[in-house]
Amino acid sequence: MTLEILPQASPHIRHGSNIGQPLTRRDGVLKVTGRARYAADNHPPGMLYAVLAVSSIARGRVKSLNVEAAKSHKGVVDVMTSVNRPKLAQDPDEKSNPFMFRLDLLQNDRVRYANQPIAVVIAESLEAATEGAALLAPQYEAEPARVGLDGAESFVPPGVGVGGPAEIRKGDVEAGLDAATKRIDATYETPSQYHNAMEPHAIVAAWDGDRLSIDTPSQGLAMARGRIAGLFGLSPENIHIRSPFLGGGFGSKGLISGPQILGVLAAKLVGRPVKLVLRRDQMYGPVGHRPPTRQRLRIGVDGEGRLTALDHRAKTASSTFDDFFEAAADISHTLYASPAIATSHEAVRIDIGTPLFMRAPGEATGSIALESAIDEAAAACGLDPLAFRVRNYAEVEPISGKPFSSKALRECYAQGAERFGWARRPLAPRQMRDKDGFLVGWGVGTATFPALMFHAEARAIIRRDGTGLVESGAHDMGQGAWTALAQIAADGLALDLDQIEFRAGSSDLPDAGIAGGSAHTATAGMAIHSAGADAIAKLAELATRDERSPLYGAGNAGLVARNGRLRRRDDESRSESYAEILARAGLGEIEGRGASAADPAAQSTYAMHAHGAVFAEVKVDPDLGQIRATRLVGAFAAGRVINPRLVRSQYHGGMIWGVSFALNEQAIIDRRSGRVMNADLAEYHVPVNADIVSIEALLVHEDDPYVNALGVKGVGEIGVTGAAGAVANAVWHATGMRVRRFPIKLEDVLTPAG
Amino acid sequence: MNTFDYVRPSTVPDAVAAAAAPGSAYLASGTNLLDLMKVGVARPDRLVDITHIAGLDRIERLPDGGLRIGALVRNADLAHDPDFARSYPAVAEALLSGASAQLRNAATIGGNLLQRPRCAYFYDPFSACNKRAPGSGCDALHGENRLHAVLGWSPSCIAVHPSDFCVPLIALDAFVEIEGRNGRREISLDALHLLPGDTPERETALEPGDLIVALRLPARAAVFAGHARYLKLRERTSYAFAVVSAAAALEMEDGAIRQARLALGGVAAKPWRARAAEESLAGERPGEAIFRRAAEAALADAKPSGDNAFKIELARRIVVRALALAAAGTPARLPALPGSPFSSAPGALHDA
């Protein structure tokens, strides 16, 4: 897939390298004019529409479905149930690696969560399929649903997050608490949150014999292809997935979901192309979510305001049939220095879809609790919460003792505080009022997210005319990969952005890994940059070995590539263009390959994290409890910035999610049925424009020679962390009321009547 | 697909005749009805599209000084009509505090009066709901009911009426013109919406075929123009239904309240007129104590229907605030955040 309709001529004026330029999205015009083709925009000839029927109970079995009624409805072509679903080569309940999650693909009549797919109706029109699904009128044998964090027996999970241990300790927490002069022991609760990307999961699938053609949004094309290949017993080469644009991913499109596979199955059943798009309410179950947590934090502080112990215990929930355990307590490993740290997790299995990755999984959930508790500890000591954080600054990673590969958090604190005006903050809560009498509060939170690297590959070609072609199956979820990765690609080939064609978003391109873990720019970017370097090295080899070249004999190390020419480092007047070198060699093009992976040596030596400081102002109506986050300033250090405009946008989005976490977002789950009762955008509240009054992200300079050669850390998720706690702490500072159950509601901050 | 008849009459009598058949529903912009049809809560056999009937989209000043608003006038158009906003500022503020800009551009006045409740259990065909399926029970009663009714509810139904618009309207004695099988009649808006009692499925006084053709505001309602506000608490600054809301309107004379109007939203199955509170204010000078007394009177009969006791005190407080804001005077310009406590002009009381 290439972005052929992208204008190749760029309106941007380039100064120096492409990396670092605040270019606007290259796909922006396509998107605002409606010409960007998303998965569900594809309508191959003969395509049918598939609609899911989903369970309205959380636990039990489907006794009956009125398939006849659905099938006799005009326009309905077929109904797929557990009886006639095409055979799979692999049991959807099989799990051979931790990144393989069990899928509900009509393998039996069991219902294990509400909104679980129980049938698929395929019809000539969306309307006919929708009505057909309604006519199925399922009858259930319902069993009592297990709901909430107290809904089942608690246990210690075998691992949390992506295979981390459930319990980690360093030092003696109890001794540290005993030795403390001030202690905090507080319990915080976070709700279930569900994915609501603007684009719901969608798939258009078409079979041609044993070849499969798919349009579907994916944050991980190669993994999706591999999963489908395994389930259907196909060779991965026979599957082509196109995913040029995602209308938001946030982790929900990292692994291909059950409903997407059902679209492929439906196409196989009817022998025609099929489109299946989830309805908004069908997102609340089969595509992952952020599970609820209850987190107890105990903090000890000595007379100097230094931590003596940090104990973070998290309880979370997972499904009854798979293992994903939100690693909420792990955030306490990295942020604050303490001689004793313990983190532990316990969990319940309840009747929900398996929770999965949701922007900053674990980090966001843990951050709001840790940052609230740190704030409570600062208040108990009578210390300014920023000064308290600085006093407990971790010079090395607390849990491991490793040095940080880079850490400009102190600068983040300083620059953010300066910009925000933190120095004018009164220490005590409920001291500030605006001219209209609203309570005003200021809060701070520390942001952090690991700097990860996965494996990716890329190909770079220098063409006969001296232009470049760079290919990697990367993913643009809206974050701007089409632009940022093209900037890296252009620099890799030492060409201007206008001189390269960048191809991404398709599974027939080199594997770009997964756009997750805030690692895509680093991972795909490194592969892309290396591929460019490889192509140039091959070109240099041609030139330096050719005695007709002015570069003859210079040796690779003696050359530098710049603006489409190779030049002698010691005499830049001696140079030759890429086109000239290829022409003399009689080559149509030259190809370089690149790959990237984390460097195990650097990883074992250094702790690698991005950091930031978020400052928030809230106003609260003292009588009515109405809360508004009126000002946000975040200062972030995440290594090298490829495109400051896009990076700021990522930080803004993350910080807004932080506001949402603190004040808005919550799945309301019926305590009896276990069903989500607000599964729509009107009632599942996230901030609207009017909720975000002023938001600013500062990019703090940070050079990191260890994370990767580009020096890039991730920016996609860190904004959620820190921000949620900052808002919650600002609410306390405004009102003097410490709310420990999120989101904070207006009744939580009402001044008692009197 | 689920097929139904779609008819598009061009006159009111044709519409009434078409809609009198059982299973019919009027369609204007459909901002509520189409949602209900999509989730399967409403399954009309016949949609009677009234948007092609001429003459229902006018705002007219009547000879007696009152205002007549056609049922098809759009929410946004009415709110931004300068004459209307000047005469009935609290109504304009309520309109602009509701839904989103996109919905306000589409939604009609008549449809707004007839919004269905937003109770999640009503919206969910798989829950028990006496309103949707009489006799099936009420899953809201012991369910997730933090935002449900505290006034006028019955064990059969604890849903609240969602409209912002209706709250100041009911305070200002608005009435509706209805065209039915037996001709035209007028009823007060207060009589349009019914409390649930044992028949929550019956939400209004309308008979089959009845079409609201216009809304009228009496001339005397304009005497409150200088001291009228609508205030709404919600879970985000825009695009959220009221947790509680209040419309307050005062006629001031020599620094005293000559007469007061007060209504609450988000507390009952209908917009809630607080007549006892109004009476307690007449002749008094505005002040916190008087307002608090009025608030106590307004909520005297309130009782929680579930996890929502906080709404009672919150409703009292919003009454006090709305009255204080009204006493301070209608702002010269409609606030940037209509209905929000954060829209307040200097001079309003904010001290707890």
Side-chain angles (χ1 to χ4, degrees):
Chain A
M1 171 68 49
T2 177
L3 211 49
E4 277 148 5
I5 27 184
L6 274 188
Q8 291 296 317
S10 158
H12 299 295
I13 299 167
R14 181 167 154 268
H15 306 279
S17 68
N18 296 287
I19 289 176
Q21 301 301 319
L23 306 185
T24 54
R25 283 174 173 76
R26 297 166 66 234
D27 45 343
V29 172
L30 289 184
K31 286 183 174 170
V32 299
T33 55
R35 286 180 295 145
R37 184 180 284 264
Y38 288 81
D41 297 331
N42 292 287
H43 289 174
M47 188 191 82
L48 297 173
Y49 295 82
V51 166
L52 293 185
V54 298
S55 165
S56 61
I57 63 165
R59 182 187 180 195
R61 57 176 281 271
V62 179
K63 266 197 313 196
S64 69
L65 291 162
N66 195 343
V67 173
E68 280 317 304
K71 280 179 92 162
S72 57
H73 188 73
K74 186 163 177 277
V76 170
V77 172
D78 211 340
V79 176
M80 184 166 73
T81 69
S82 58
V83 175
N84 65 339
R85 184 263 273 160
K87 288 215 170 355
L88 289 168
Q90 187 178 50
D91 180 355
D93 278 321
E94 187 182 321
K95 191 176 175 81
S96 57
N97 71 70
F99 266 104
M100 185 184 249
F101 288 89
R102 299 190 168 102
L103 301 171
D104 288 285
L105 302 178
L106 307 175
Q107 54 264 46
N108 52 46
D109 61 2
R110 284 299 303 174
V111 172
R112 36 197 194 185
Y113 55 92
N115 287 334
Q116 177 191 313
I118 54 173
V120 183
V121 179
I122 306 121
E124 298 285 350
S125 69
L126 176 63
E127 292 79 5
T130 301
E131 185 63 13
L135 290 169
L136 287 173
Q139 300 294 310
Y140 301 99
E141 196 173 284
E143 297 165 40
R146 291 156 287 192
V147 183
L149 287 169
D150 300 311
E153 198 178 329
S154 184
F155 66 100
V156 175
V160 297
V162 284
E167 298 185 5
I168 293 185
R169 56 183 61 240
K170 179 197 89 168
D172 187 337
V173 160
E174 298 305 328
L177 287 169
D178 287 345
T181 54
K182 301 281 184 195
R183 287 174 207 91
I184 293 297
D185 184 344
T187 299
Y188 307 87
E189 291 199 29
T190 65
S192 302
Q193 298 180 356
Y194 279 80
H195 281 288
N196 273 287
M198 192 63 81
E199 176 203 33
H201 293 64
I203 189 162
V204 178
W207 288 88
D208 179 9
D210 63 350
R211 303 188 73 83
L212 179 57
S213 169
I214 290 175
D215 294 284
T216 199
S218 172
Q219 295 174 243
L221 282 164
M223 284 180 74
R225 192 169 70 155
R227 185 73 163 114
I228 295 168
L231 283 165
F232 288 89
L234 297 174
S235 160
E237 290 70 40
N238 282 10
I239 302 167
H240 186 193
I241 309 177
R242 291 166 299 275
S243 178
F245 305 108
L246 288 79
F250 310 109
S252 76
K253 294 164 185 165
L255 301 163
I256 197 148
S257 66
Q260 286 162 295
I261 304 286
L262 287 170
V264 180
L265 280 163
K268 193 168 176 82
L269 179 75
V270 296
R272 285 169 67 178
V274 162
K275 172 158 94 172
L276 188 152
V277 182
L278 285 191
R279 230 169 39 214
R280 179 63 52 184
D281 57 303
Q282 294 174 339
M283 302 271 292
Y284 290 70
V287 298
H289 69 282
R290 199 193 301 279
T293 69
R294 185 181 296 140
Q295 302 176 55
R296 182 180 178 199
L297 276 116
R298 293 188 302 158
I299 295 176
V301 190
D302 68 15
E304 305 294 311
R306 291 193 167 77
L307 300 194
T308 59
L310 171 57
D311 182 29
H312 192 158
R313 302 178 187 182
K315 184 175 189 182
T316 187
S318 195
S319 70
T320 56
F321 57 92
D322 212 339
D323 296 321
F324 181 92
F325 300 98
E326 179 97 348
D330 286 0
I331 191 133
S332 288
H333 294 165
T334 56
L335 268 184
Y336 299 106
S338 172
I341 297 175
T343 60
S344 63
H345 296 85
E346 61 179 309
V348 290
R349 291 196 182 279
I350 55 177
D351 298 304
I352 54 175
T354 305
L356 281 170
F357 308 96
M358 187 159 171
R359 203 175 190 182
E363 290 86 1
T365 323
S367 174
I368 193 168
L370 175 62
E371 292 304 315
S372 294
I374 288 289
D375 224 59
E376 296 203 47
C381 298
L383 289 171
D384 172 84
L386 177 59
F388 184 75
R389 284 168 170 82
V390 172
R391 192 168 300 190
N392 289 287
Y393 196 85
E395 302 292 351
V396 297
E397 187 180 47
I399 200 76
S400 68
K402 288 184 203 172
F404 289 101
S405 59
S406 64
K407 182 179 177 180
L409 176 57
R410 220 176 235 112
E411 291 77 4
C412 295
Y413 284 141
Q415 291 182 33
E418 169 72 21
R419 183 76 188 171
F420 187 81
W422 183 262
R424 300 193 306 276
R425 177 185 181 274
L427 185 60
R430 215 178 170 94
Q431 299 298 305
M432 294 197 291
R433 297 240 179 183
D434 73 0
K435 65 178 171 37
D436 295 321
F438 293 106
L439 297 167
V440 179
W442 290 355
V444 64
T446 309
T448 187
F449 197 84
L452 305 174
M453 282 280 287
F454 305 122
H455 174 76
E457 294 167 13
R459 176 166 54 227
I461 291 167
I462 298 171
R463 293 159 162 160
R464 182 196 296 271
D465 63 359
T467 64
L469 165 65
V470 179
E471 297 180 327
S472 185
H475 318 85
D476 195 325
M477 307 174 283
Q479 85 278 35
W482 276 119
T483 307
L485 294 178
Q487 288 175 262
I488 295 172
D491 273 11
L493 286 175
L495 288 168
D496 193 274
L497 192 57
D498 302 348
Q499 295 291 305
I500 67 147
E501 182 186 343
F502 174 58
R503 293 181 181 164
S506 180
S507 68
D508 56 357
L509 300 175
D511 175 10
I514 187 163
S518 297
H520 202 40
T521 305
T523 304
M526 271 307 300
I528 285 167
H529 201 265
S530 303
D534 186 45
I536 283 174
K538 286 177 176 162
L539 199 66
E541 177 101 2
L542 283 180
T544 55
R545 288 184 173 192
D546 186 340
E547 54 193 24
R548 293 167 297 174
S549 168
L551 305 173
Y552 176 65
N556 271 359
L559 293 186
V560 58
R562 192 173 293 134
N563 295 338
R565 301 183 76 83
L566 294 184
R567 302 164 189 273
R568 280 188 73 111
R569 211 177 278 278
D570 54 0
D571 178 6
E572 291 212 7
S573 69
R574 293 173 65 184
S575 73
E576 198 167 25
S577 74
Y578 298 171
E580 287 165 338
I581 298 167
L582 285 172
R584 189 170 336 89
L587 291 177
E589 60 178 41
I590 199 159
E591 179 180 313
R593 291 278 182 160
S596 64
D599 173 0
Q603 281 195 318
S604 63
T605 312
Y606 296 101
M608 299 175 177
H609 304 275
H611 290 92
V614 182
F615 297 83
E617 174 184 273
V618 303
K619 293 188 177 182
V620 180
D621 188 309
D623 308 326
L624 305 177
Q626 191 91 60
I627 306 168
R628 199 163 186 231
T630 46
R631 200 153 60 90
L632 295 167
V633 174
F636 299 93
R640 191 177 191 190
V641 170
I642 300 298
N643 182 322
R645 183 191 302 269
L646 299 173
V647 165
R648 264 193 200 93
S649 172
Q650 286 290 295
Y651 291 147
H652 288 171
M655 289 158 74
I656 291 167
W657 201 320
V659 174
S660 188
F661 207 124
L663 301 179
N664 299 112
E665 198 169 343
Q666 176 180 27
I668 295 168
I669 297 169
D670 185 277
R671 62 197 76 177
R672 302 153 300 183
S673 70
R675 301 174 63 222
V676 178
M677 298 309 295
N678 60 337
D680 60 72
L681 288 177
E683 300 297 334
Y684 184 91
H685 289 164
V686 298
V688 295
N689 280 329
D691 289 306
I692 305 300
V693 183
S694 167
I695 185 164
E696 196 173 357
L698 309 181
L699 311 187
V700 175
H701 185 87
E702 188 179 73
D703 291 312
D704 194 316
Y706 305 111
V707 281
N708 49 61
L710 286 171
V712 171
K713 297 180 181 175
V715 299
E717 295 166 270
I718 187 172
V720 189
T721 73
V727 171
N729 293 336
V731 170
W732 169 78
H733 189 239
T735 63
M737 287 178 246
R738 180 64 69 177
V739 182
R740 301 188 182 90
R741 191 181 54 198
F742 304 106
I744 299 171
K745 300 185 180 70
L746 41 72
E747 65 264 34
D748 296 328
V749 293
L750 290 178
T751 314
Chain B
M1 66 187 72
N2 174 31
T3 55
F4 49 83
D5 292 341
Y6 170 81
V7 296
R8 205 161 71 185
S10 54
T11 68
V12 169
D14 286 352
V16 171
S24 300
Y26 285 116
L27 173 70
S29 283
T31 56
N32 192 190
L33 179 62
L34 297 188
D35 280 355
L36 291 164
M37 290 173 68
K38 284 179 192 169
V39 298
V41 169
R43 289 180 77 89
D45 300 317
R46 173 185 282 183
L47 283 185
V48 181
D49 182 348
I50 58 169
T51 59
H52 292 257
I53 299 177
L56 293 183
D57 59 352
R58 293 194 203 122
I59 305 170
E60 304 162 85
R61 185 59 75 176
L62 299 171
D64 69 356
L67 203 69
R68 182 177 189 276
I69 303 150
L72 290 179
V73 172
R74 312 272 171 180
N75 281 17
D77 290 338
L78 181 62
H80 292 298
D81 182 276
D83 185 34
F84 173 80
R86 207 163 30 244
S87 303
Y88 312 105
V91 187
E93 189 167 14
L95 275 171
L96 293 177
S97 77
S100 65
Q102 293 87 341
L103 285 166
R104 293 193 296 269
N105 286 339
T108 63
I109 294 308
N112 197 306
L113 303 181
L114 297 177
Q115 278 187 81
R116 308 298 304 278
R118 300 284 167 167
C119 172
Y121 299 93
F122 168 68
Y123 257 77
D124 169 32
F126 306 103
S127 292
C129 173
N130 289 319
K131 185 183 282 297
R132 185 167 26 74
S136 65
C138 172
D139 272 347
L141 194 57
H142 300 291
E144 308 311 313
N145 49 26
R146 177 176 155 261
L147 300 178
H148 282 69
V150 294
L151 281 164
W153 57 272
S154 77
S156 71
C157 181
I158 62 173
V160 299
H161 195 265
S163 170
D164 295 301
F165 180 50
C166 289
V167 179
L169 284 179
I170 215 153
L172 296 174
D173 289 327
F175 52 100
V176 290
E177 293 179 17
I178 298 164
E179 187 92 8
R181 283 170 297 178
N182 301 315
R184 188 162 295 213
R185 69 187 197 277
E186 295 174 2
I187 64 170
S188 78
L189 185 63
D190 204 12
L192 177 67
H193 301 106
L194 307 177
L195 288 174
D198 296 328
T199 54
E201 70 278 13
R202 191 159 160 72
E203 288 172 17
T204 71
L206 297 179
E207 299 293 331
D210 276 357
L211 177 66
I212 294 177
V213 293
L215 170 76
R216 277 162 63 171
L217 277 157
R220 61 182 182 278
V223 303
F224 301 101
H227 295 274
R229 289 302 296 271
Y230 180 70
L231 193 60
K232 173 182 180 182
L233 296 180
R234 54 196 136 171
E235 299 194 316
R236 59 183 169 189
T237 308
S238 178
Y239 193 37
F241 291 98
V243 176
V244 291
S245 71
L250 304 172
E251 186 189 0
M252 303 297 295
E253 192 175 63
D254 301 329
I257 299 166
R258 188 160 182 271
Q259 56 169 334
R261 297 293 174 79
L262 184 67
L264 288 159
V267 294
K270 59 181 292 182
W272 192 265
R273 179 86 179 259
R275 292 181 196 275
E278 292 174 0
E279 283 159 22
S280 78
L281 291 163
E284 301 282 357
R285 293 195 166 269
E288 174 103 20
I290 293 298
F291 294 157
R292 184 74 199 177
R293 195 178 72 194
E296 298 290 347
L299 277 301
D301 297 328
K303 61 176 192 294
S305 59
D307 298 334
N308 56 1
F310 77 94
K311 283 181 71 169
I312 297 171
E313 173 59 17
L314 202 58
R316 290 190 194 106
R317 292 184 186 193
I318 201 173
V319 164
V320 172
R321 176 71 62 77
L323 286 166
L325 289 171
T330 307
R333 298 179 59 176
L334 205 61
L337 296 173
S340 166
F342 293 107
S343 72
S344 65
L349 290 170
H350 287 297
D351 290 317

